Amino acid sequence: MKDVAIVGAGVFGLCAAYVCALRGMSVVVLEKSDAIGAGASGGIVGAMSPHTPDNWNQKKQFQFDALCAAETFWRDVDACSGVSSGYGRIGRVFPIPDERLLGLAQMRAKSATEIWQGKFRWDVLQSHALIAPSAAPFGVVHDTMSARIYPALACQSLRAALMKMGVEIRMGCVVETVQDSIVSGQWGEIRANAIVLAAGVGGFEFLDRKFEMQTGSGVKGQGALLQYDLGHAPQINAEGIYIIPHEDGTVGVGSTSETDWNNPTGTDEKLDFVIASAKRICPVLQNAIVKKRWAELRPKARKRTPMLGAIPGCNNVYAALGGYKIGFGLAHKSAEMIADMIAGTTCDIPANFTVQHHLDL
């Protein structure tokens, strides 16, 4: 009998396993594929950026707290594992395309001083050396809070840390049923005091059957890895495209957001457009070689925010799903919330993150 059984070895599941193990719980992780991070968590882009510093609310505060804590979390994981997650607080620059947004950027520069508690800056600059002037006609914003991570390597770092901590990770376990204290499939069954459903798009399929409604979906994202060393230059976010300098001398570029697709892991001309746009926005990448093309489904809950917490009608079964676009920035703090719930500790989770919020029509 385990304290916790976690279904899914993506970043939400692995972070939950790590935090629970740190708190002395016995943990087993069940993964249907033969590799961890087999879905969206095995990606190559890895942007970790804040919401705008205005119209502050509980969701924005949750993300702010998570991004503040990320540096310590990933440093500790990497120290335990001996594997680099690729985390680095490199900041972010993004172009200002028109006069209206310039006014908003200047207003947010003032509010950031108070809202971000003086820990980070939101500066409005006339230009940035990496961004083509034509892409930034009204200047750029530079924030110092944003960070980068290499998603696939971060999952490997978590895996190595979990193995050193004695956490059991079982591969090739397709989960067919999740009951109050039992997770089972053709491979057998495991009993646990608490079960965490962190299976990405597959987790939504379980909830869809239980509640007879669509609780989430998979949004296809295509990205590319370019061979070019930008060092510790800030990430760039322009025209919906992220350009992420990795510590290994590559640059992650992406991603598309496709709700209509045939092949969830195939790349096509949509990625060609993203690559061409990235090279236009950041001219130093013009001759960079494409080292890898990548595509996967990213789990998006029906109301977009992550879906965290107790699943109604399932005793001691919790969801950790739907980290669409922001999963790596929130996964460690989301794991702490799940661990608190399992332990019966009161936790302050945004109301629109709860499972009940996503089930309400």
Side-chain angles (χ1 to χ4, degrees):
M1 185 84 168
K2 295 286 187 178
D3 291 325
V4 185
I6 295 174
V7 181
V11 68
F12 269 42
L14 294 172
C15 281
Y18 178 80
V19 172
C20 287
L22 278 180
R23 297 188 183 187
M25 303 179 198
S26 59
V27 181
V28 59
V29 179
L30 307 171
E31 168 56 43
K32 68 178 181 180
S33 73
D34 59 359
I36 64 156
S41 292
I44 56 178
V45 181
M48 300 170 70
S49 301
H51 289 293
T52 56
D54 57 358
N55 300 318
W56 209 243
N57 55 37
Q58 192 181 18
K59 182 179 83 169
K60 288 188 175 186
Q61 185 65 46
F62 186 95
Q63 188 202 42
F64 174 80
D65 293 340
L67 292 175
C68 287
E71 189 166 8
T72 299
F73 178 86
W74 289 107
R75 181 195 65 204
D76 292 348
V77 171
D78 291 355
C80 178
S81 69
V83 177
S84 175
S85 63
Y87 177 87
R89 195 183 295 281
I90 57 175
R92 169 186 58 164
V93 290
F94 57 92
I96 304 171
D98 57 50
E99 192 169 1
R100 183 186 70 84
L101 290 176
L102 172 60
L104 278 175
Q106 292 169 335
M107 179 194 70
R108 289 163 177 164
K110 296 177 181 179
S111 61
T113 302
E114 177 183 353
I115 292 174
W116 287 355
Q117 304 167 16
K119 296 178 179 179
F120 307 102
R121 298 193 317 277
W122 173 288
D123 297 324
V124 179
L125 310 175
Q126 290 186 344
S127 63
H128 191 277
L130 287 177
I131 298 179
S134 59
F138 286 83
V140 301
V141 170
H142 177 218
D143 86 71
T144 61
M145 188 192 307
S146 294
R148 56 111 189 269
I149 201 164
Y150 196 123
L153 295 182
C155 288
Q156 292 298 331
S157 184
L158 280 165
R159 174 184 178 274
L162 290 171
M163 292 182 68
K164 288 186 177 180
M165 298 166 74
V167 172
E168 183 182 4
I169 302 177
R170 297 190 186 183
M171 312 305 295
C173 293
V174 177
V175 172
E176 297 175 350
T177 61
V178 177
Q179 302 176 30
D180 292 350
S181 299
I182 303 173
V183 184
S184 62
Q186 291 183 349
W187 43 270
E189 67 177 38
I190 287 181
R191 293 179 178 272
N193 293 324
I195 298 168
V196 179
L197 187 63
V201 176
F204 293 139
E205 293 171 358
F206 167 79
L207 295 180
D208 290 353
R209 292 192 299 271
K210 177 174 178 56
F211 296 106
E212 298 182 341
M213 62 181 290
Q214 185 177 21
T215 57
S217 60
V219 179
K220 181 178 177 179
Q222 299 186 48
L225 199 63
L226 308 185
Q227 189 64 60
Y228 195 92
D229 192 351
L230 284 174
H232 293 284
Q235 61 168 279
I236 298 170
N237 178 10
E239 301 175 21
I241 295 170
Y242 285 92
I243 301 169
I244 311 296
H246 289 307
E247 67 178 5
D248 65 353
T250 62
V251 177
V253 173
S255 298
T256 63
S257 294
E258 305 168 46
T259 56
D260 185 13
W261 41 266
N262 293 318
N263 181 357
T265 59
T267 62
D268 55 32
E269 71 281 354
K270 295 183 182 69
L271 179 55
D272 296 333
F273 176 79
V274 168
I275 295 169
S277 297
K279 290 184 174 184
R280 172 178 52 80
I281 294 163
C282 183
V284 298
L285 299 176
Q286 194 60 239
N287 298 318
I289 296 171
V290 178
K291 183 177 180 181
K292 182 177 182 179
R293 295 166 68 94
W294 176 90
E296 257 298 349
L297 295 183
R298 294 171 293 175
K300 179 182 176 182
R302 66 185 300 268
K303 294 189 178 180
R304 188 164 179 142
T305 55
M307 184 185 293
L308 303 175
I311 299 175
C314 297
N315 293 330
N316 299 316
V317 181
Y318 304 86
L321 299 167
Y324 178 62
K325 291 190 176 182
I326 58 174
F328 275 84
L330 300 183
H332 57 290
K333 185 167 177 60
S334 300
E336 292 177 356
M337 298 293 103
I338 294 295
D340 285 344
M341 294 176 198
I342 291 172
T345 303
T346 301
C347 59
D348 187 18
I349 185 170
N352 60 355
F353 282 27
T354 64
V355 179
Q356 187 60 56
H357 168 77
H358 289 276
L359 297 180
D360 288 341
L361 298 177

